Amino acid sequence: MTELAPLRPGDEAYDEAATVFLRTGSPSAVFQPRTAEEVAAAIGYAVSSRLPLAVRSGGHSAQAWGTNDGGVVIDLRAFDSIETLDEESGRVRIGAGASWGHVADTLGERGLALSSGDTRSVGVGGLTTGGGIGWMVRKHGLTIDSVVGADIVTADGRQLHVSDTEHSDLFWAIRGGGGNFGVITHLEFRAQPTTTVHAGVIAYTVDDVPALLEGWARIHREAPEELNSTLVLMPGLGDPMPPAGAMGLVCYAGSDRAAAEAAFAPLLALGTVVMSEITEKPYAAVLEEAHPPPGLKGRATNTLVSRVDREVIDGIVRFYDGGTAKRLAFVRWLGGAPNRVASDATAFAHRDAEALVLGNVFAPIDADDDLLSAELLEHFKGLHALGSGSYAGFVATDVPEDIERLYPAATLARLREVKRAYDPGNVFRANFNISP
């Protein structure tokens, strides 16, 4: 077995290694492996010591699952390589600990891109195993729809390569089933040829939110799949945050200026536009950093809807409440490529969704987390009832119902079979846990 000395409390690099985006933990040991053999050794240490295990790729889980107190952390940041395996097909191999900003910068230099979330410092492994909704989702699908293989270390230390033809049951499960089945060290993707995109923001007044939402939906149903967007209904959170308003974050996944301008034109004619700024830029420049509102914290949940109809719009309007209740809502448009994948092809099964609707509740930083989650879920329950389920990447609660919303019954049953085969002891449980 490979000898790998962990970081312990008091070591120089320990504090940084024990910290994730939303929390600083106090694990008894942090392993920073560089090889699959060292990953296996770290897993073996946690199992033999009977300590809880956390796996960190980018550390952005809303539940801070990339760290813990008193347990073991496997920090994958050394797995950050980005290799081109085949230039003609765009096949690339990426370490699970790489950040999506680093990936976007590197692939951009090669004329390639992957549809991969919104935030530069989010890790490749965490976002991908949850599904991956990025700024080219309507044209190229979810991030998992570009995955063609992966290397994974299982609970018993086996080092496996998975694909459609190798351990296909596990390959199916990791595409949407989260980190329940092992430690993914590398993923292979088929990247898309991409030079530049056209992206930016359109700001609106919120004097007629129902009309704005109805127009947004109508325009997107007729728009080319290159047009991707999120319409954000922002609450008034006080200084230094902006006042309540609506902001359309938009990206045309292509370099053709005339086609991009034609796609944006209906949005610029919608409602009352306060400001617009859309420019041609490298795809990597679309990814930004996440910054929580100063002095506040939030809890988020979401639902995937098959159609943004009047009932859904009324539910969004009630949740948002004019921006006065410190509740943010957004509609992220889907449709297109994700809908052309069969619902049982991956563990992300919500393939009929036209849009994702998110709700976020904000409160002072010292507010009780459980009470904040309860408040959110109470106000969002009408929208949950109208949707087919949730997307893991935007769920910032930790309640039993989350698993049922993430996975339809048939998908969950199949995931449990894979879990029993590869992790019967539930070693990997610091996640939206699928128990064996």
Side-chain angles (χ1 to χ4, degrees):
M1 180 179 291
T2 302
E3 291 295 329
L4 176 65
L7 295 171
R8 303 283 189 182
D11 288 346
E12 182 179 351
Y14 170 86
D15 289 344
E16 194 275 335
T19 299
V20 293
F21 184 62
L22 294 174
R23 178 173 179 257
T24 296
S26 56
S28 66
V30 179
F31 290 90
Q32 295 183 312
R34 294 182 173 276
T35 65
E37 290 78 12
E38 291 181 344
V39 170
I43 295 170
Y45 175 89
V47 171
S48 63
S49 302
R50 299 185 179 181
L51 292 174
L53 176 62
V55 181
R56 180 193 192 278
S57 59
H60 271 262
S61 114
Q63 297 79 5
W65 281 325
T67 192
N68 59 33
D69 296 319
V72 174
V73 171
I74 297 178
D75 179 359
L76 296 175
R77 73 186 70 200
F79 289 87
D80 62 352
S81 61
I82 303 168
E83 308 167 64
T84 298
L85 300 180
D86 183 70
E87 291 186 6
E88 185 174 350
S89 67
R91 187 166 176 144
V92 295
R93 183 174 185 261
I94 301 174
S99 71
W100 280 113
H102 175 45
V103 171
D105 291 338
T106 303
L107 292 185
E109 295 171 357
R110 305 172 191 178
L112 298 170
L114 285 163
S115 190
S116 52
D118 311 328
T119 306
R120 289 188 61 85
S121 58
V122 164
V124 167
L127 180 131
T128 303
T129 56
I133 295 177
W135 283 115
M136 300 189 291
V137 63
R138 283 167 37 80
K139 179 67 175 178
H140 298 302
L142 302 171
T143 306
I144 55 173
D145 298 334
S146 296
V147 175
V148 294
D151 296 326
I152 184 169
V153 183
T154 58
D156 57 5
R158 284 180 293 165
Q159 300 169 40
L160 305 177
H161 182 77
V162 300
S163 67
D164 278 333
T165 58
E166 304 163 274
H167 305 283
S168 59
D169 56 342
L170 185 54
F171 183 55
W172 171 85
I174 65 169
R175 289 176 293 159
N180 276 282
F181 310 98
V183 178
I184 294 173
T185 59
H186 296 88
L187 289 142
E188 293 180 13
F189 299 90
R190 184 167 287 111
Q192 295 82 32
T194 304
T195 52
T196 58
V197 299
H198 292 78
V201 60
I202 307 170
Y204 301 91
T205 62
V206 287
D207 48 350
D208 192 345
V209 174
L212 183 62
L213 289 166
E214 287 177 353
W216 199 264
R218 181 184 67 254
I219 290 166
H220 279 75
R221 290 188 189 114
E222 300 170 356
E225 291 180 359
E226 285 82 359
L227 180 63
N228 295 263
S229 75
T230 299
L231 180 62
V232 186
L233 302 174
M234 301 177 298
L237 297 176
D239 289 336
M241 303 302 291
M247 183 176 294
L249 308 175
V250 295
C251 178
Y252 182 89
S255 58
D256 186 323
R257 174 179 287 186
E261 290 177 348
F264 292 135
L267 297 178
L268 292 167
L270 180 64
T272 302
V273 175
V274 178
M275 179 275 290
S276 67
E277 184 178 345
I278 301 171
T279 59
E280 185 174 4
K281 61 188 70 176
Y283 173 73
V286 182
L287 306 187
E288 298 181 340
E289 271 308 337
H291 299 289
L296 298 174
K297 65 180 176 181
R299 284 292 180 271
T301 190
N302 68 82
T303 192
L304 292 145
V305 296
S306 60
R307 189 171 180 83
V308 181
D309 58 17
R310 186 68 202 201
E311 195 172 10
V312 168
I313 289 171
D314 288 345
I316 296 170
V317 170
R318 284 192 298 271
F319 179 85
Y320 177 59
D321 195 25
T324 62
K326 289 186 171 55
R327 294 199 292 266
L328 175 150
F330 75 54
V331 178
R332 182 146 197 165
W333 206 259
L334 299 174
N339 297 161
R340 293 192 288 273
V341 177
S343 61
D344 61 354
T346 65
F348 181 93
H350 306 291
R351 294 296 186 163
D352 65 343
E354 182 176 72
L356 180 146
V357 178
L358 175 139
N360 198 326
V361 170
F362 294 100
I365 201 74
D366 58 353
D368 182 273
D369 290 343
D370 291 339
L371 291 178
L372 189 57
S373 291
E375 177 188 348
L376 166 69
L377 295 171
E378 174 63 26
H379 287 292
F380 202 83
K381 65 181 181 182
L383 285 163
H384 270 145
L386 297 173
S388 62
S390 297
Y391 165 64
F394 295 138
V395 175
T397 57
D398 187 10
V399 296
E401 293 81 6
D402 288 334
I403 291 292
E404 297 174 5
R405 294 187 184 115
L406 293 176
Y407 307 112
T411 303
L412 185 56
R414 187 174 170 185
L415 284 167
R416 291 196 196 284
E417 289 182 7
V418 179
K419 182 75 168 181
R420 285 192 291 270
Y422 293 93
D423 184 19
N426 204 15
V427 172
F428 302 105
R429 56 183 179 273
N431 44 46
F432 289 114
N433 191 230
I434 298 164
S435 58

